[in-house]
Amino acid sequence: MIDYLIAILIFAGIYGFVALGLNIQWGLTGLINLGQVAFFAVGAYTFALLSKAGVPFLLAVAVATTLSGVFGAAVAMFTPRLREDYLAIVTLGFSEFVRLVLLNEKWLAGGPDGVAGVPRPASFPGLGSETSFLIVTALALAFAFWFTRRIERYPIGRTLKAIREDEGVVTSVGKVALAYKTKAFLLGAALAGLGGAFFASYLSYISPDMFGPNVSIYVLAAVLIGAQGSSVATLLSTALVAALLEGTRLLKDYITFVDGVELAALRLMVLGLALIAIVMVRYRPGRP
Amino acid sequence: MKQILEIKDVSRRFGGLQAVNKCRFSVRAGSITGLVGPNGAGKSTLFSLVSGFVRPDSGEVLFDGNHIEKLSAHEIARLGLRRTFQIPRELKQMTVLENLLLVPERQFGDQVRSVLLPGKRVHEEERINLQKAQGVLEMVGLGEKAQHPAALLSGGQKKLLELARCLMADPKLLLLDEPTAGVNPTLIRHLMSVLRRIHASGVTLLIIEHNMTVIMELCERVIVMDRGQVIAAGTPAEIQSNKEVLDAYLGGVSA
């Protein structure tokens, strides 16, 4: 039971990186991104291939984060005029593109077989591998949280919020909106990549089917529940989504009238209903 | 007489509509110049062309003697040519103060790396910008609204906020698009005194306005546009008695 709790916490932490990243892009800057899983995948695969090649943990994490960020910046620069639904479609398409490349290019990362045997960082003395990994994840997440919180509160966060509200105003005060949008996408993608590195390391095995659009949707739900913009709310709602997704697995001991497959569907229904309920309460008409 | 803005044969077509057609006039440095004309005359389009939000199809625009017709909007803004919008574009979910703090250029805190460094430099920079923003808000009469969300301002106060946002940048030339439209008479008096004060501090003003009282009282020179072209220019008194101008406004029924 405690092992299972640790696993849920680690998953919540991993999704936390991805959601914090999406919060910079969408929550703060207003750039909808339905393909956050693409950068998560780039991070995971980069880390997996590098660390299997013997690159030390921290260096592999750093490279995975950076490369994901580069991909994010590239997507932003190729879509300078896109907003809202158009950007949503392009990012969703991009994430499917990344998944299909990973699936079909066998030379790159094993194709459908994925990459197995991804190492974890060395355990702390006297602690188990799981607990050690939880501590490392928590430390990294604390850093990511501190970073995004500062982005929010610093003048750069103000400029990003201004872009969310009216890009024309940002231009009219002499700032290059595209440069800020690129930075927002870069940072958000880098955080997703960081999460991807931890994901690969924790599971020790990754394959393309783990990087479907549902991952993007889960973090989107987390940011939406967190009311877009606050890192604190984003982390809390990510924990909530993880708890709903993973925690409802525990129900199988208590709910005997449904079988495993039905329960899996039920979990998603619970998440969907919770999402609808929360959005109805949070986004009442007339709220500024 | 030094001209701060020279517009030379600027044209712009939108599909079948020749919005601005070989428009040509200049604005003297240190003046308050009015730009009037019936609806659809191309005044606001001309503002967008001058401020770089829309590219002219042909023609030249000189600001302070330099060509700006090929520059982008943010570059023109940096040169000290700022504009307000006809419909105020306040950043609704941000406070009045934040709307102004957005403006200062080259803020260190506006760079990603500032986030990773100790906060001292950013806090010091913010303190200075905050002082300036408070000063500007006092000047336009929004001092007490600093912490209010911009969405809660009245129509006239939003106009003042747009003005304040421009002033944060110490502009040389301000293009004001209907600063008194939809503003109640009391606030119009206040707005006019604010505009006079801005002018007195050395800023050149070019004002699109339909309120003739405002034009007559403020402007030393008035330019009249109709169908994308300048049809008359002169002192307010001259313009008021100009037959072509009356025709343009009244559709040929001469008074």
Side-chain angles (χ1 to χ4, degrees):
Chain A
M1 181 62 199
I2 188 77
D3 286 346
Y4 188 57
L5 193 66
I6 288 174
I8 290 181
L9 281 174
I10 290 173
F11 273 117
I14 287 168
Y15 280 118
F17 292 111
V18 191
L20 284 175
L22 183 65
N23 189 47
I24 293 180
Q25 298 164 341
W26 187 38
L28 217 52
T29 321
L31 300 166
I32 182 83
N33 174 7
L34 285 187
Q36 185 70 329
V37 69
F39 311 114
F40 185 59
V42 169
Y45 270 87
T46 309
F47 175 86
L49 295 175
L50 285 178
S51 57
K52 274 195 78 175
V55 176
F57 178 77
L58 281 178
L59 183 61
V61 168
V63 175
T65 307
T66 310
L67 192 65
S68 305
V70 170
F71 271 79
V75 168
M77 286 196 282
F78 281 116
T79 56
R81 286 172 190 277
L82 296 187
R83 299 187 67 92
E84 308 194 343
D85 31 4
Y86 298 101
L87 190 58
I89 289 294
V90 168
T91 48
L92 181 64
F94 176 72
S95 73
E96 279 298 276
F97 163 78
V98 168
R99 189 178 64 83
L100 289 173
V101 167
L102 291 172
L103 187 64
N104 291 299
E105 300 297 322
K106 288 205 171 69
W107 57 270
L108 184 65
D113 298 337
V115 182
V118 185
R120 280 193 195 175
S123 299
F124 293 109
L127 290 174
S129 170
E130 295 282 313
T131 315
S132 295
F133 197 85
L134 178 63
I135 291 170
V136 174
T137 311
L139 287 174
L141 190 65
F143 171 76
F145 175 72
W146 172 83
F147 179 78
T148 51
R149 191 114 180 88
R150 269 200 152 185
I151 289 269
E152 266 172 53
R153 293 174 160 191
Y154 267 40
I156 186 163
R158 195 160 58 210
T159 308
L160 297 180
K161 275 182 220 160
I163 289 176
R164 179 183 70 194
E165 295 210 30
D166 191 336
E167 211 177 306
V169 168
V170 175
T171 308
S172 80
V173 303
K175 300 191 179 191
V176 189
L178 178 60
Y180 288 98
K181 292 202 284 186
T182 306
K183 283 177 196 171
F185 240 88
L186 185 153
L187 293 175
L191 282 170
L194 181 58
F198 276 91
F199 182 73
S201 180
Y202 180 62
L203 288 185
S204 89
Y205 165 71
I206 51 171
S207 66
D209 59 322
M210 296 170 175
F211 301 98
N214 53 338
V215 177
S216 297
I217 301 301
Y218 294 153
V219 290
L220 202 77
V223 176
L224 188 68
I225 293 170
Q228 302 179 38
S230 151
S231 297
V232 183
T234 301
L235 272 196
L236 289 177
S237 54
T238 308
L240 180 69
V241 170
L244 281 171
L245 274 175
E246 296 297 325
T248 40
R249 281 183 209 278
L250 298 174
L251 292 176
K252 74 171 185 295
D253 298 336
Y254 305 101
I255 302 178
T256 48
F257 53 86
V258 291
D259 62 29
V261 179
E262 285 169 342
L263 189 66
L266 191 66
R267 285 167 45 223
L268 292 180
M269 281 173 63
V270 169
L271 179 68
L273 285 173
L275 189 61
I276 290 169
I278 289 164
V279 168
M280 280 175 76
V281 173
R282 287 211 73 129
Y283 296 87
R284 262 181 294 211
R287 268 175 61 111
Chain B
M1 277 206 299
K2 192 189 160 214
Q3 307 296 334
I4 194 166
L5 182 69
E6 296 166 72
I7 296 166
K8 297 180 174 173
D9 296 328
V10 168
S11 299
R12 171 74 201 206
R13 173 180 281 278
F14 294 113
L17 175 75
Q18 188 70 47
V20 175
N21 187 11
K22 295 204 169 159
C23 186
R24 188 181 182 95
F25 68 88
S26 44
V27 175
R28 191 178 64 80
S31 68
I32 303 185
T33 305
L35 182 59
V36 303
N39 289 321
K43 307 181 295 293
S44 289
T45 305
L46 188 72
F47 268 21
S48 293
L49 291 169
V50 170
S51 57
F53 276 75
V54 178
R55 281 278 160 86
D57 294 329
S58 61
E60 298 178 348
V61 183
L62 281 88
F63 175 59
D64 239 354
N66 302 311
H67 281 272
I68 57 166
E69 68 271 5
K70 292 204 169 60
L71 298 186
S72 43
H74 70 266
E75 291 170 320
I76 293 173
R78 284 181 189 176
L79 293 175
L81 192 167
R82 302 271 166 155
R83 69 171 297 183
T84 64
F85 297 95
Q86 193 173 354
I87 297 160
R89 287 167 76 167
E90 77 286 355
L91 304 166
K92 293 188 175 61
Q93 292 181 41
M94 294 163 74
T95 66
V96 169
L97 201 57
E98 285 173 322
N99 266 266
L100 265 61
L101 289 174
L102 171 73
V103 178
E105 278 169 48
R106 285 188 284 277
Q107 293 184 45
F108 176 65
D110 224 357
Q111 300 173 12
V112 174
R113 69 191 163 95
S114 74
V115 174
L116 294 169
L117 299 170
K120 196 162 170 255
R121 190 169 157 191
V122 173
H123 290 309
E124 181 59 20
E125 182 184 66
E126 282 285 280
R127 201 178 56 76
I128 293 167
N129 289 336
L130 205 68
Q131 257 174 3
K132 173 155 192 181
Q134 288 285 12
V136 169
L137 285 178
E138 294 297 336
M139 185 208 174
V140 302
L142 286 177
E144 287 168 16
K145 303 280 180 186
Q147 301 298 341
H148 285 229
L152 298 184
L153 295 182
S154 74
Q157 289 168 338
K158 285 175 183 172
K159 297 270 185 187
L160 288 168
L161 174 60
E162 286 241 319
L163 211 52
R165 207 159 54 194
C166 290
L167 293 178
M168 268 305 275
D170 299 317
K172 292 180 191 157
L173 171 62
L174 270 185
L175 310 183
L176 306 176
D177 200 343
E178 299 198 24
T180 71
V183 179
N184 73 58
T186 324
L187 203 50
I188 288 185
R189 303 295 332 164
H190 172 67
L191 245 164
M192 282 170 69
S193 76
V194 170
L195 291 179
R196 282 205 188 89
R197 250 178 290 163
I198 294 170
H199 176 243
S201 72
V203 183
T204 309
L205 302 177
L206 177 62
I207 307 177
I208 294 179
E209 189 52 70
H210 284 299
N211 185 330
M212 280 304 145
T213 321
V214 175
I215 291 283
M216 295 301 151
E217 282 192 33
L218 282 182
C219 302
E220 62 181 56
R221 192 157 167 271
V222 181
I223 289 147
V224 189
M225 280 182 78
D226 185 31
R227 286 173 236 174
Q229 284 180 311
V230 173
I231 58 165
T235 64
E238 286 165 7
I239 292 303
Q240 257 187 327
S241 53
N242 183 307
K243 184 167 178 309
E244 274 186 70
V245 175
L246 293 173
D247 282 350
Y249 269 99
L250 302 174
V253 188
S254 51

